[in-house]
């Protein structure tokens, strides 16, 4: 008996030692990997090691919160997988992808990676093909190498096996912790406040820079759902309706508005054509740069002859659909979470818009875009906005291409053809694609317009390629003018861009040309913010229309302004826009321009009540109980989709209006 006990004691001691080693390995792995992951993510996203270390040492509570969130993600994956090395590899892959996507987005359009970007699918592949470069490939290779190293630890560290019940408990606790910080429960809120977290929802680039990628991303989860304004109620909407009715009466008296229809002297309703030209901007605004000849002769002539000015866009370098959203609905991105995409996130039921308004006036409302219909989910969204049809690139007949995409001239020909063959007056919302970035490849061959100035060779090439495309957009506008000027059918064209082009990484061309003082957008003055969001706007009509100067006007107020120009009665939400535009013609999340042209970082006190009405009306129409429709414009505000949407292009499954609400297919999209 005595001889048999000694080996068992040795075996028991070895087992205890092995378990202790495995437990230590588990603890070290679960703590060490999150620390190294946060350091690596911040380095990948920021692109500068000294800056990364400075952030870590200067913001230790925030750093530890990022580590904690990473730990909970690792613990949750481990609870599912049961292997340290494999769960570490999966977590590293997830975090690495977050960092590289955020890095690429910031370089492209100045916006980091948001929770709603996870919905990207086919669209992300198309965008990725345009932004690959040495810096991105180095980061991808580094992430792949780290994943392989972590996976190789499977043959180094002792195997740890937790009981199923322990893994289940760890998984539930980790999932709840992530959920708590994502929606900011009271306890999580206290922890965040104690750590000194300052969430900057109106400036997401600064939000991520201050709080760290993991924490800022997690905090944005709650922003995926738009919060109801504190002032939203039926009584508030009744008060807003009274304000709108009073404003409409004054506007009709002072402007002589003819109700119910836009009618010219000969009794005809005019075609109304909006042309939103991809990334269109005036490169001659670069004061320290000159060109061999004027690239935009049509635009510059119309600025002298017709109503023109500048629109204040909520976007830079991308996010085209957000500009469409503002113009078509009259709603503002200022009241939505920073970086959100309404087409992708919120429009799943009929929303009143210019398209549905003109349809009520006997118009054929049509969208035209020279790219595929799934981009930004326009196939579904345009239906919800009240268009009768949407002509995307799939329905172009043997189109001409220039550079990477269908040419602007081809788009102009399609607009002309649709107007010519349609008996009813038309409302057309046109979106072009030809001059979509990037511009570092001279895709138009030998550029006609040579830039001279203090520019690097790369910046000069980028600017000249962009300018060639802008010239083509200018000429496509002239093509439409040449056709419609002698037509006996009254026609109005509203031409503008969606956002400034991304001329190189880190605002390269703008910085070298002296248009801005720094490539750090967080340090821009209010005047620089305004410059980097101001887009040329020109109008033209083949009938008499008084010339107006428009110093600044938000995209969300453009629809109301055009209806005024046409002497059309404005529906409730657009009437409110017109009233607000008199006080604050420029409204962005981080910039307010008042009626005197003064710039403000926050809402002036005098305009606060009307802006509160604007926000309440927008929430009511998009997410609320449609209280406003009980007081004003019920049929317009509650209108469903058009029967037979896109039937002319053979699109099956068009639902009648009574079945349309809530019928949108859940197919998210991302583009431009």
């Amino acid at each position: 008996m005595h001889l048999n006990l000694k080996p068992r004691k040795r075996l028991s001691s070895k087992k205890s030692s092995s378990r202790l080693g495995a437990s230590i390995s588990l603890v070290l792995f679960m703590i060490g990997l999150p620390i190294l992951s946060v350091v690596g993510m911040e380095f990948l996203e920021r692109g500068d090691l000294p800056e990364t270390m400075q952030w870590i040492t200067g913001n230790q509570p925030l750093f530890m919160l990022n580590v904690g969130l990473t730990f909970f993600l690792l613990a949750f994956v481990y609870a599912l997988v049961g292997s340290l090395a494999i769960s570490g590899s999966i977590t590293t892959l997830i975090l690495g992808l977050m960092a590289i996507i955020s890095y690429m987005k910031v370089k492209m359009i100045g916006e980091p990676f948001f929770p709603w970007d996870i919905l990207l699918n086919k669209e992300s592949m198309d965008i990725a093909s345009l932004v690959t470069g040495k810096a991105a490939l180095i980061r991808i290779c580094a992430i792949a190498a780290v994943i392989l190293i972590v996976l190789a630890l499977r043959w180094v560290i002792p195997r740890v096996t937790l009981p199923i019940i322990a893994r289940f408990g760890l998984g539930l606790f980790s999932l709840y912790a992530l959920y708590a910080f994502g929606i900011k429960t009271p306890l999580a809120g206290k922890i965040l406040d104690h750590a000194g977290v300052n969430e900057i929802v109106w400036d997401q680039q600064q939000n991520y820079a201050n709080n760290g990628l993991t924490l800022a991303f997690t905090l944005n989860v709650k922003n995926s759902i738009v919060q109801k304004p504190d002032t939203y109620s039926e009584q508030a909407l009744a008060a807003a309706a009274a304000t709108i009715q009073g404003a409409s009466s004054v506007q009709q008296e002072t402007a002589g508005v003819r109700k119910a229809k836009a009618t010219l002297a000969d009794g005809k309703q005019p075609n109304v054509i909006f042309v939103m030209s991809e990334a269109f901007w005036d490169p001659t605004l670069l004061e320290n740069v000159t060109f061999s000849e004027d690239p935009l002769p049509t635009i510059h002539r119309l600025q002298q002859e017709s109503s023109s000015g500048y629109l204040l866009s909520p976007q830079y370098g991308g996010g085209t659909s957000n500009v469409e959203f503002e113009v078509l609905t009259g709603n503002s991105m200022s009241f939505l979470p920073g970086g959100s995409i309404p087409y992708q996130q919120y429009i799943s039921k009929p929303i009143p818009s210019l398209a549905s308004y003109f349809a009520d006036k006997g118009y054929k409302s049509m969208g035209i875009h020279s790219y595929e219909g799934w981009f930004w989910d326009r196939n579904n969204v345009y239906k919800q906005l009240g268009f009768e049809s949407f002509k995307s690139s799939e329905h172009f007949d043997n189109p001409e291409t220039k550079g990477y995409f269908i040419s602007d001239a081809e788009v102009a020909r399609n607009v002309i053809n649709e107007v010519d063959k349609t008996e009813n007056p038309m409302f057309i919302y046109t979106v072009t694609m030809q001059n979509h970035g990037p511009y570092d490849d001279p895709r138009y061959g030998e550029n006609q317009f040579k830039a001279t100035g203090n520019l690097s060779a790369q910046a000069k090439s980028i600017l000249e390629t962009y300018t060639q495309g802008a010239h083509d957009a200018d000429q496509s506008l002239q093509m439409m003018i040449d056709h419609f000027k002698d037509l006996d059918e009254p026609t109005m064209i509203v031409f503008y861009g969606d956002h400034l082009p991304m001329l190189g990484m880190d605002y390269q061309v703008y910085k070298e040309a002296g248009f801005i003082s720094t490539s750090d957008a967080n340090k821009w003055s209010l005047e620089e913010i305004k410059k980097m969001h101001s887009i040329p706007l020109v109008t033209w009509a083949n009938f008499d229309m008084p010339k107006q100067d428009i110093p600044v006007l938000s995209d969300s107020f453009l629809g109301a302004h055009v209806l005024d120009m046409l002497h059309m009665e404005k529906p409730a939400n657009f009437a409110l826009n017109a009233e607000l535009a008199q006080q604050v013609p420029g409204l962005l999340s981080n910039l307010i321009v008042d009626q005197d042209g003064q710039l403000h970082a926050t809402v002036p006190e005098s305009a606060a009540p009307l802006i509160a009405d604007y926000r309440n009306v927008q929430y009511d129409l998009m997410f609320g109980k449609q209280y406003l429709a009980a007081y004003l414009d019920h049929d317009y505000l509650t209108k469903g989709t058009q029967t037979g949407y896109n039937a002319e292009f053979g699109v099956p499954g068009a639902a009648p209006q009574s079945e349309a609400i809530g019928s949108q297919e859940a197919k998210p999209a991302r583009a431009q």
Side-chain angles (χ1 to χ4, degrees):
M1 291 290 293
H2 179 72
L3 293 176
N4 291 335
L5 284 175
K6 286 184 179 180
R8 290 179 182 177
K9 285 183 178 179
R10 292 193 196 99
L11 182 60
S12 177
S13 177
K14 287 181 180 179
K15 286 183 177 180
S16 298
S17 177
S18 177
R19 288 171 182 169
L20 178 62
S23 299
I24 293 174
S25 298
L26 173 64
V27 172
L28 290 177
F29 187 87
M30 296 296 287
I31 295 176
L33 185 62
I35 291 175
L36 294 176
S37 295
V38 172
V39 174
M41 288 177 69
E42 293 300 323
F43 175 52
L44 284 175
E45 206 265 347
R46 296 169 189 267
D48 185 86
L49 185 58
E51 180 185 341
T52 301
M53 299 310 299
Q54 183 179 0
W55 175 78
I56 292 173
T57 56
N59 301 275
Q60 293 185 13
L62 300 179
F63 173 69
M64 293 309 299
L65 278 176
N66 280 268
V67 171
L69 291 170
T70 305
F71 166 81
F72 290 129
L73 175 62
L74 174 61
F76 177 71
V77 176
Y78 173 68
L80 295 177
V81 175
S83 166
L84 277 181
I86 294 176
S87 60
S89 299
I90 294 172
T91 304
T92 301
L93 174 62
I94 294 172
L95 298 175
L97 287 175
M98 286 177 60
I100 189 66
I101 293 172
S102 189
Y103 164 79
M104 292 166 68
K105 278 195 67 185
V106 168
K107 291 299 181 183
M108 286 173 60
I109 58 174
E111 290 181 352
F113 180 50
F114 299 115
W116 39 90
D117 289 331
I118 294 173
L119 298 176
L120 297 180
N121 41 57
K122 179 181 176 182
E123 297 85 330
S124 63
M125 300 304 294
D126 284 72
I127 295 299
S129 66
L130 298 178
V131 297
T132 53
K134 181 179 179 181
L137 291 175
I138 290 174
R139 284 166 168 77
I140 292 172
C141 291
I143 293 169
V146 172
I147 291 172
L148 291 176
I149 291 172
V150 173
L151 191 59
L153 294 176
R154 186 179 186 184
W155 290 276
V156 176
I157 58 177
R159 182 176 178 82
V160 181
T161 303
L162 288 182
I164 293 295
I165 188 67
R167 281 173 51 190
F168 182 75
L170 178 64
L172 280 182
F173 177 76
S174 300
L175 185 61
Y176 174 76
L178 293 171
Y179 166 81
F181 282 98
I183 67 166
K184 199 175 181 180
T185 62
L187 177 58
K190 290 181 180 179
I191 295 173
L192 293 170
D193 291 340
H194 184 72
V197 174
N198 180 25
E199 187 179 5
I200 313 173
V201 294
W202 59 90
D203 189 343
Q204 290 288 350
Q205 192 171 348
Q206 186 66 38
N207 191 34
Y208 277 61
N210 288 359
N211 294 317
L213 176 58
T214 307
L215 177 57
F217 180 89
T218 304
L219 292 175
N220 266 318
V221 169
K222 67 182 182 303
N223 294 332
S224 299
I225 301 175
V226 179
Q227 298 297 315
K228 181 173 68 174
D230 295 336
T231 56
Y232 179 73
S233 67
E234 184 173 2
Q235 293 75 18
L237 268 297
T243 299
I244 293 169
Q245 287 176 320
S248 297
S249 298
V250 173
Q251 290 167 15
Q252 289 170 20
E253 287 180 15
T254 58
V257 176
R258 287 164 286 176
K259 294 185 177 182
K261 59 181 179 179
T263 309
L264 302 178
D266 57 4
K268 292 183 178 180
Q269 293 176 290
N271 300 303
V272 181
I273 302 170
F274 280 64
V275 180
M276 189 173 73
S277 181
E278 169 58 39
F280 184 81
W281 181 68
D282 186 352
T284 67
L285 293 173
L286 297 171
E287 296 179 358
N288 298 328
V289 175
T290 58
F291 291 90
S292 56
E293 55 183 296
D294 185 0
L296 307 178
T298 304
I299 296 298
H300 292 155
R301 187 187 73 250
L302 292 177
Q303 287 175 337
Q304 299 300 317
E305 299 174 354
S306 304
S307 294
S308 63
Y310 289 89
L311 292 177
L312 204 57
S313 171
Q315 301 297 131
Y316 164 78
T320 295
S321 73
N322 288 356
V323 180
E324 287 176 54
F325 165 76
E326 286 207 343
V327 175
L328 284 167
T329 67
N331 294 326
S332 175
M333 291 298 301
S334 302
F335 305 133
L336 299 174
S340 60
I341 306 163
Y343 274 24
Q344 176 180 318
Q345 295 171 256
Y346 310 131
I347 300 182
S348 57
K349 66 175 185 177
I351 299 291
S353 75
L354 289 176
S356 57
Y357 171 80
F358 277 99
D360 282 344
K361 304 304 178 186
Y363 281 67
K364 177 181 179 180
S365 290
M366 184 180 212
I368 297 178
H369 184 31
S370 52
Y371 202 67
E372 297 175 30
W374 52 258
F375 231 32
W376 285 116
D377 203 23
R378 287 186 179 94
N379 278 333
N380 293 313
V381 170
Y382 275 29
K383 177 180 179 180
Q384 305 299 344
L385 294 179
F387 283 95
E388 178 180 331
S389 57
F390 172 40
K391 187 174 187 177
S392 54
S393 63
E394 299 95 317
H395 308 303
F396 281 50
D397 183 19
N398 191 28
E400 172 194 50
T401 60
K402 193 164 186 180
Y404 303 137
F405 307 108
I406 292 176
S407 72
D408 285 355
E410 182 69 24
V411 175
R413 285 189 285 268
N414 273 266
V415 169
I416 290 169
N417 180 61
E418 293 298 334
V419 172
D420 287 352
K421 75 179 185 181
T422 304
E423 292 185 5
N424 289 350
M426 292 197 74
F427 168 75
I428 300 181
Y429 197 90
T430 315
V431 184
T432 71
M433 190 69 175
Q434 177 190 319
N435 212 24
H436 193 290
Y439 312 101
D440 49 3
D441 176 20
R443 64 188 194 231
Y444 300 123
E446 181 66 24
N447 294 317
Q448 175 183 349
F449 304 93
K450 304 301 181 182
T452 303
N454 188 24
L455 298 173
S456 64
Q458 183 184 42
K460 184 175 184 294
S461 176
I462 290 172
L463 179 59
E464 289 178 351
T465 296
Y466 169 77
T467 302
Q468 184 66 54
H471 172 74
D472 291 345
D474 178 274
Q475 293 305 289
S476 73
L477 173 59
Q478 186 62 53
M479 181 190 300
M480 288 186 284
I481 292 173
D482 290 342
H483 176 81
F484 291 117
K485 67 181 180 181
D486 298 323
L487 200 68
D488 62 356
E489 204 170 334
T491 301
M492 178 186 186
I493 299 175
V494 184
F495 183 95
Y496 55 97
D498 49 355
H499 51 70
L500 269 72
M502 188 190 73
L503 299 178
M505 295 294 187
D506 293 324
Y507 312 97
Q508 180 184 0
V509 171
Y510 301 105
K511 179 64 171 61
E512 291 188 19
F515 193 71
I516 52 176
S517 60
T518 174
S519 57
D520 186 351
N522 299 313
K523 297 179 180 178
W524 288 348
S525 66
L526 293 179
E527 183 61 38
E528 286 177 315
I529 294 173
K530 180 186 174 186
K531 289 167 64 176
M532 292 300 288
H533 289 270
S534 293
I535 312 298
L537 162 71
V538 295
T539 64
W540 175 88
N542 60 1
F543 54 89
D544 290 337
M545 184 171 288
K547 184 182 187 303
Q548 300 179 30
D549 293 324
I550 309 168
V552 63
L553 188 70
S554 280
D555 284 320
S556 56
F557 301 150
L558 177 60
H561 190 83
V562 170
L563 294 180
D564 273 340
M565 294 175 69
L566 292 169
H567 302 297
M568 297 184 76
E569 182 185 23
K570 297 181 291 296
N573 54 330
F574 287 97
L576 179 61
N577 290 2
E579 180 70 7
L580 180 57
Q582 294 181 20
Q583 294 189 33
V584 284
L587 177 62
L588 298 180
S589 59
N590 59 348
L591 174 68
I592 308 293
V593 185
D594 66 24
Q595 68 270 31
D596 298 320
Q598 298 297 312
L599 309 183
H600 307 266
T602 57
V603 176
E605 187 175 342
S606 61
L610 205 52
I611 289 180
D613 283 344
Y614 185 24
R615 183 180 184 184
N616 283 331
V617 166
Q618 176 170 322
Y619 183 86
D620 187 59
L621 297 178
M622 294 185 66
F623 313 105
K625 298 183 178 180
Q626 294 188 305
Y627 291 133
L628 185 65
Y631 300 92
L632 291 172
D633 295 329
H634 179 273
D635 291 344
Y636 162 73
L637 295 176
T638 59
K639 184 179 177 65
T641 60
Q642 292 206 50
T643 303
Y645 167 74
N646 250 4
E648 66 180 287
F649 297 121
V651 178
Q657 292 186 18
S658 60
E659 300 174 4
I661 296 178
S663 65
Q664 180 191 24
E665 296 179 16
K667 180 182 180 295
R670 176 72 166 92
Q672 295 189 50

